[in-house]
C-alpha cells in the first residue's frame, strides 16, 4: 500500500528542513567561524546571527537553535544525507550523546524500529545502548541491528 500524499509531503518537508538546518550549521562553521568548531572568544557571532535571522524569518532561529544547527552539521555532515523518516527532533535528541558509536546506534535504531521521540529520549536516558553492550552475549544482541565496518553501518 502506498503512502498518502500528506505523508509524502510531510516527509519531503522534514527532509528539506533538515537539509536547511544542516546548511545553516555549515555556513556558521565554514563561513562565519572560518572552519573552526567554535567562534573566537569575545565574538558574539551566534547572538548576532540569531537576532538577524529572527528579524528576517521569525521565530525558530534563537541562539540555542543555531547552536544545535551548528552541532548538527558537525555531528551529521551533509554527506550523510538525512533519513527522510526522521524529524529534526529525532536528530536533535542524540546530539547530546558523547560517543559517536552510541549516537550512530540510536539514529540507526530510530529509523529501523520507528522509535518515537519519547522512546528515543527514554532509551538514551536509561543508557539502552550501554546496557545492551553489557549483556552476556553482546555480539548476538547487536548483530541483528548492524555490522560495524570502518565508519559505516550495514544493515543485516
Amino acid at each position: 500500500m502506498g503512502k498518502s500524499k500528506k505523508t509524502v509531503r510531510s516527509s519531503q518537508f522534514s527532509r528539506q528542513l533538515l537539509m536547511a538546518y544542516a546548511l545553516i550549521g555549515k555556513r556558521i562553521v565554514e563561513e562565519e567561524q572560518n572552519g573552526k568548531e567554535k567562534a573566537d572568544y569575545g565574538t558574539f557571532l551566534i547572538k548576532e546571527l540569531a537576532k538577524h535571522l529572527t528579524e528576517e524569518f521569525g521565530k525558530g532561529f534563537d541562539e540555542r537553535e543555531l547552536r544545535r544547527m551548528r552541532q548538527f552539521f558537525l555531528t551529521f555532515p551533509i554527506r550523510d544525507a538525512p533519513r527522510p523518516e526522521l524529524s529534526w527532533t529525532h536528530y536533535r535528541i542524540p546530539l547530546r550523546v558523547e560517543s559517536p558509536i552510541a549516537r550512530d546506534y540510536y539514529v540507526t535504531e530510530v529509523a529501523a524500529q520507528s522509535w518515537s521521540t519519547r522512546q528515543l529520549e527514554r532509551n538514551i536516558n536509561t543508557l539502552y545502548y550501554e546496557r545492551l553492550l553489557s549483556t552476556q552475549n553482546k555480539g548476538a544482541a547487536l548483530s541483528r541491528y548492524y555490522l560495524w565496518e570502518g565508519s559505516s553501518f550495514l544493515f543485516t
Side-chain angles (χ1 to χ4, degrees):
M1 196 149 232
K3 291 182 177 181
S4 72
K5 287 182 181 180
K6 185 178 179 181
T7 303
V8 170
R9 278 194 303 263
S10 175
S11 177
Q12 289 171 342
F13 175 77
S14 180
R15 185 176 178 89
Q16 289 173 346
L17 186 66
L18 288 169
M19 290 302 291
Y21 287 169
L23 290 171
I24 290 168
K26 179 181 181 179
R27 179 164 180 198
I28 291 169
V29 171
E30 292 181 355
E31 294 179 25
E32 307 294 338
Q33 296 176 184
N34 299 316
K36 299 176 196 167
E37 197 166 313
K38 297 212 176 212
D40 292 332
Y41 180 78
T43 62
F44 298 98
L45 171 71
I46 296 287
K47 185 176 186 174
E48 291 301 315
L49 192 56
K51 181 180 173 187
H52 173 73
L53 290 173
T54 301
E55 287 172 1
E56 190 168 338
F57 299 109
K59 66 182 192 175
F61 296 98
D62 61 17
E63 290 179 54
R64 185 172 69 193
E65 279 302 299
L66 290 180
R67 282 189 182 87
R68 286 178 178 154
M69 291 175 201
R70 175 183 60 196
Q71 187 178 4
F72 177 61
F73 169 72
L74 291 169
T75 305
F76 303 104
I78 293 176
R79 70 176 184 279
D80 301 334
R83 297 169 180 259
E85 65 271 28
L86 303 184
S87 68
W88 169 239
T89 307
H90 281 110
Y91 278 103
R92 195 180 73 208
I93 292 170
L95 287 176
R96 68 174 188 259
V97 175
E98 290 184 31
S99 165
I101 295 171
R103 188 182 322 111
D104 288 343
Y105 170 80
Y106 288 120
V107 171
T108 300
E109 285 307 292
V110 165
Q113 302 299 322
S114 300
W115 288 351
S116 66
T117 55
R118 183 175 287 168
Q119 189 174 8
L120 171 61
E121 185 89 42
R122 183 179 60 241
N123 287 342
I124 289 172
N125 289 340
T126 60
L127 303 174
Y128 184 78
Y129 174 75
E130 290 77 1
R131 287 185 295 117
L132 192 60
L133 288 179
S134 69
T135 62
Q136 289 287 352
N137 192 355
K138 64 182 166 192
L142 290 173
S143 68
R144 68 178 246 243
Y145 296 113
Y146 61 86
L147 297 173
W148 179 253
E149 184 173 277
S151 63
S152 62
F153 290 98
L154 302 174
F155 289 99
T156 58

